[in-house]
Amino acid sequence: MEYQAIAKQKLPKMAYDYYASGAEDEWTLKENREAFSRILFRPRILIDVSKIDMTTSVLGFKISMPIMVAPTAFQKMAHPDGEYATARAASAAGTIMTLSSWATSSVEEVASTGPGIRFFQLYVYKDRKVVEQLVRRAERAGFKAIALTVDTPRLGRREADIKNRFVLPPFLTLKNFEGLDLGKMDQANDSGLASYVAGQIDRTLSWKDVKWLQSITSMPILVKGVVTAEDARLAVHSGAAGIIVSNHGARQLDYVPATISALEEVVKAAQGRIPVYLDGGVRRGTDVFKALALGAAGIFACGVRAGGGGREAGVRNVLRMLRDEFELTMALSGCTTLADINRSHVLTEGDRLRPAPRL
């Protein structure tokens, strides 16, 4: 939260508002945080916690902790190093970075920063040849999975961006689309990004397109933007490799539940057939523990980029803080491995409304 305050001081208003704002009344934006604060711990005591193992594997890739970096667009608005800094910091932390389709550095440029496990977040454009080309480029550049964003047939009403007439600064482009005449965003009467999405993003996207995507790549596909049991079951049926419970950082449809509130419903519907990850609202290591206790296999932290002040050292520090806090939460809850974390370690609002079990 302190990093967010620093970012507000340092970044131009248009850039900060883009990163920090939500849709319409921003009820879901507040709720993404507040819902975590209503979940309490039930710590277990007198357990040897002298050794704590936070390692896990995601789609078969071993990582140092269940904390990964969520995709954030336009990172060079925060700092000239942009996505390079995030890629290097995630790699140094031994975790996964997800690169946005709308990055200000290309898949090839990010790959050139050195080794690391990287996923690619994909928006599906009306021109499917553009999508095919982009997916193949990501695969060639060594990216390991696709996070398919499914909650953005149109852009949510982000009123801060409308008031600011948001547009990408003239010295930046959407690097992945630069050679296709799709890299520039025109000035508009409201949000330049909303106009760009209206012109380029495919509103016909449906479950059959998950199959289409599987036909053009061997990379596993995570469906990002699921918040209901019904869609969780359809994601399993579609052959998705995993689900990311996400409300797009509260930037799409306002008054959807916080992701931590939707998590358990989605986990139950997936029935252990595919892993479920959480994205949104995480600001503390305690939040990570709560997500895992409610069935998440890991979390994607949003805002690591802008929160870290844009510099690699800042991003590294945000990841280290989350890691250290999570490790401490595990120790104080009596858990030495991720497998030890279970539903009995937390008390949700729903639990408090139900009568206590007779012991």
Side-chain angles (χ1 to χ4, degrees), residues 51-54 330 335-341:
K51 290 190 180 69
I52 293 201
D53 179 9
M54 291 183 284
M330 283 181 69
C335 299
T336 61
T337 68
L338 302 191
D340 293 339
I341 303 172

Side-chain angles (χ1 to χ4, degrees), residues 100-120:
S100 168
S101 276
W102 294 337
T104 41
S105 311
S106 68
V107 287
E108 294 84 3
E109 287 171 335
V110 169
S112 76
T113 61
I117 306 159
R118 300 185 183 109
F119 292 174
F120 183 70

